[in-house]
Amino acid sequence: MTGEPESTVVDERTGRRMIILAVVVTVAAFLGASWAALSRLHEIRRDSRVIAASALPSIQSLSAARRKLGHIGVMISQLDRVPLVPGALAELRVVTSGLAVDVNAYFAVPTYAGEREDWWAVLACIEELRTVLGDLDASSPVTPSPATQARLAAAVDRADATLLASMDRNADQIEALTAHIESTRASAVRRAVVFNAVGVVLAGLLLAMALRSLRRQIAAERRAQQLLEARATELEAFAGRVAHDLVAPLTPTFLWLERLRASSDPTTRNAAERALRGVGRATELVDALFTFARAPREAHPAASSDLDHVAREVLGNFEELAITSQASLELVSPGPVPLEVHPGIVSSVLGNLVQNAIRYLGDAPVRRVTVRLQQTSGRARVEVADTGPGIATALQERIFDPYFRAAGRDQPLGLGLGLATARRLVEAHGGTIGVWSLGAGATFWFELPLASGQRA
Ligand SMILES: Nc1ncnc2c1ncn2[C@@H]1O[C@H](COP(=O)(O)OP(=O)(O)OP(=O)(O)O)[C@@H](O)[C@H]1O
Ligand SMILES: [Mg+2]
């Protein structure tokens, strides 16, 4: 495959865009709802301030002023019966002046239309009281004339009525502000709910769309994967057929070359030797290809083998190669280890590992390959450790891929199929395979399930 299918890329892009949009919409809805609440909160705060800073104190002040006015009123109402002694007149004048100071202070900051007029009206009444009281003789007890008493009483009544009206207006204002606060609160809640609801619906829609395109993307990827697997299977079948078809002509070629090797002419003999080596190499490659293509993907039921026995056989097979490579082979085994796996499979896996271990020793001064067999909790473990140059960490996973070979100029010839075949065989039988190598030396290992009777 050269790249991802166009539709998959588009779906992924659309899905990602939808998710981003959904997040943006959710944040916008949240901000909108917050804005709606905050802007209304500002109005509510302004109204509450008017109530707390102006209307309520006004009512309290006005009622205090009315109490003073009531005091003056009571004194004036008794004038027809009780003559006004100089001390009482002085008290009356002082209270009236105090009332003027209070009223001036209360009305200093008028908060609504009409309050200033009230102020002027009350001050006019107080001025009238002060004028009348100022005209009275303060040296001896005095009984003001009925006309004077009437003027005083009228001034007190007018002032009281004005203060009362002013209190009523403040109370009305508080009522209106309270109603406004309530309606503002309700409208803030409504706006926030609308913002949130629109946000939730839009975000939900976008997420659903995102989910749809992501699902389509997953389906497309699955289809591509299946296609890939089908192609790989086809390729393997093809490789198997090619390998099979190549083996057929190689056999007679081999026989003819064997005959030529017996020739009395040294040049012919030499050429036959070289050709035979080439044919031998070709046969090896074809064999590896064939083995990989035919390596089963599933375990064969009802097969059994003894790991210890197979390991001894495999090491026996590699004795000659070990001698040629000046390497020693060693087996550490606990004795028989029964497996439910065909001996051919175990032999193929272990053979690949041992062959590699000897093959890739390079020019290591210590040349040893150790095969260790272990039996642990339901599984058999095999380790093949060598004293060669080891394998770089970055390559340790890749060497199990088909046709992968570590690039080394003086690396012996091979197809890069040995480890891929071993992995396929081990995994088909419910096992695992791997390698660890830190600096010098590599240890390849694989584990296979023990025969059912041994798993206790
Ligand atoms: N014991 C080892 N020490 C160092 N490198 C190794 C060892 N075993 C494998 N390798 C590296 O892993 C690569 C893949 O090994 P694999 O057995 O799959 O293929 P191959 O030996 O190259 O060819 P084939 O086994 O098909 O003949 C090798 O080419 C080699 O570079
Ligand atoms: Mg190999």
Side-chain angles (χ1 to χ4, degrees):
M1 285 251 298
T2 49
E4 288 175 75
E6 184 71 9
S7 66
T8 314
V9 179
V10 171
D11 277 337
E12 193 188 344
R13 232 184 275 146
T14 316
R16 225 185 288 139
R17 258 188 226 145
M18 294 299 158
I19 289 173
I20 293 170
L21 261 174
V23 171
V24 170
V25 165
T26 311
V27 171
F30 170 74
L31 290 179
S34 307
W35 168 79
L38 284 178
S39 64
R40 299 271 118 177
L41 207 65
H42 179 71
E43 278 181 44
I44 291 175
R45 197 179 304 136
R46 201 188 54 209
D47 288 351
S48 330
R49 268 205 202 125
V50 174
I51 292 177
S54 169
L56 273 180
S58 291
I59 289 180
Q60 284 160 359
S61 310
L62 289 170
S63 60
R66 277 193 72 215
R67 270 199 302 280
K68 273 190 186 145
L69 205 61
H71 182 58
I72 297 170
V74 170
M75 284 177 84
I76 288 171
S77 65
Q78 292 167 352
L79 285 181
D80 53 345
R81 284 172 281 123
V82 187
L84 202 54
V85 293
L89 180 60
E91 185 194 338
L92 206 52
R93 282 176 181 163
V94 168
V95 174
T96 310
S97 299
L99 180 64
V101 172
D102 288 355
V103 167
N104 265 331
Y106 304 150
F107 286 105
V109 190
T111 53
Y112 57 86
E115 209 159 15
R116 195 164 283 274
E117 283 73 22
D118 288 346
W119 176 45
W120 286 116
V122 174
L123 279 186
C125 295
I126 293 172
E127 208 41 52
E128 168 90 351
L129 284 175
R130 285 167 87 181
T131 312
V132 175
L133 292 173
D135 288 347
L136 293 175
D137 180 9
S139 56
S140 56
V142 60
T143 301
S145 68
T148 306
Q149 284 184 32
R151 264 181 79 190
L152 288 170
V156 167
D157 285 350
R158 269 203 317 280
D160 192 49
T162 312
L163 289 178
L164 197 65
S166 202
M167 276 173 70
D168 281 350
R169 266 201 289 273
N170 272 298
D172 287 350
Q173 196 191 18
I174 289 177
E175 213 171 286
L177 285 171
T178 312
H180 187 236
I181 285 175
E182 181 47 36
S183 76
T184 311
R185 190 198 61 82
S187 111
V189 169
R190 260 196 319 274
R191 281 191 199 182
V193 166
V194 168
F195 268 111
N196 276 332
V198 170
V200 164
V201 168
L202 270 179
L205 268 175
L206 289 166
L207 281 179
M209 283 162 79
L211 219 64
R212 212 172 118 236
S213 34
L214 287 178
R215 241 191 246 130
R216 269 167 44 191
Q217 184 199 342
I218 290 169
E221 267 165 15
R222 199 174 294 146
R223 275 197 305 278
Q225 180 66 27
Q226 281 164 356
L227 201 69
L228 213 64
E229 275 169 15
R231 279 192 196 158
T233 314
E234 249 173 53
L235 207 66
E236 276 165 26
F238 175 70
R241 271 201 314 278
V242 170
H244 183 266
D245 293 348
L246 272 176
V247 171
L250 278 178
T251 313
T253 312
F254 185 81
L255 292 175
W256 280 114
L257 287 173
E258 279 286 345
R259 276 197 185 186
L260 284 177
R261 195 162 62 165
S263 157
S264 53
D265 174 22
T267 319
T268 312
R269 252 198 339 262
N270 195 3
E273 288 280 357
R274 292 168 81 179
L276 270 170
R277 275 203 297 280
V279 170
R281 172 87 197 120
T283 314
E284 258 175 38
L285 296 184
V286 167
D287 275 351
L289 206 60
F290 205 39
T291 314
F292 177 69
R294 300 189 74 179
R297 286 173 185 272
E298 280 170 27
H300 190 278
S304 68
S305 58
D306 168 24
L307 181 57
D308 175 76
H309 182 75
V310 175
R312 283 174 203 283
E313 255 183 21
V314 169
L315 289 188
N317 293 344
F318 283 101
E319 241 165 37
E320 220 175 294
L321 181 65
I323 292 168
T324 325
S325 310
Q326 295 170 326
S328 65
L329 295 180
E330 199 184 320
L331 174 69
V332 182
S333 166
V337 181
L339 300 176
E340 272 170 12
V341 181
H342 193 277
I345 301 287
V346 186
S347 169
S348 168
V349 175
L350 186 56
N352 264 306
L353 299 187
V354 173
Q355 186 194 45
N356 281 351
I358 303 171
R359 225 190 208 178
Y360 300 112
L361 276 174
D363 50 9
V366 180
R367 309 176 70 76
R368 193 173 51 242
V369 174
T370 311
V371 177
R372 249 178 242 108
L373 311 183
Q374 286 163 12
Q375 194 170 323
T376 51
S377 55
R379 292 173 93 77
R381 185 179 170 90
V382 181
E383 285 181 3
V384 180
D386 64 57
T387 53
I391 299 160
T393 317
L395 299 181
Q396 285 177 15
E397 188 47 40
R398 298 186 63 199
I399 52 173
F400 289 92
D401 291 343
Y403 307 108
F404 182 85
R405 309 197 72 222
R409 256 184 302 145
D410 31 78
Q411 180 165 285
L413 285 174
L415 265 190
L417 282 175
L419 292 177
T421 310
R423 178 160 73 176
R424 184 184 282 187
L425 292 173
V426 169
E427 288 177 355
H429 291 81
T432 42
I433 187 168
V435 62
W436 53 269
S437 172
L438 292 169
T443 300
F444 281 83
W445 59 266
F446 65 91
E447 289 185 355
L448 285 169
L450 285 172
S452 42
Q454 303 293 312
R455 287 185 206 154

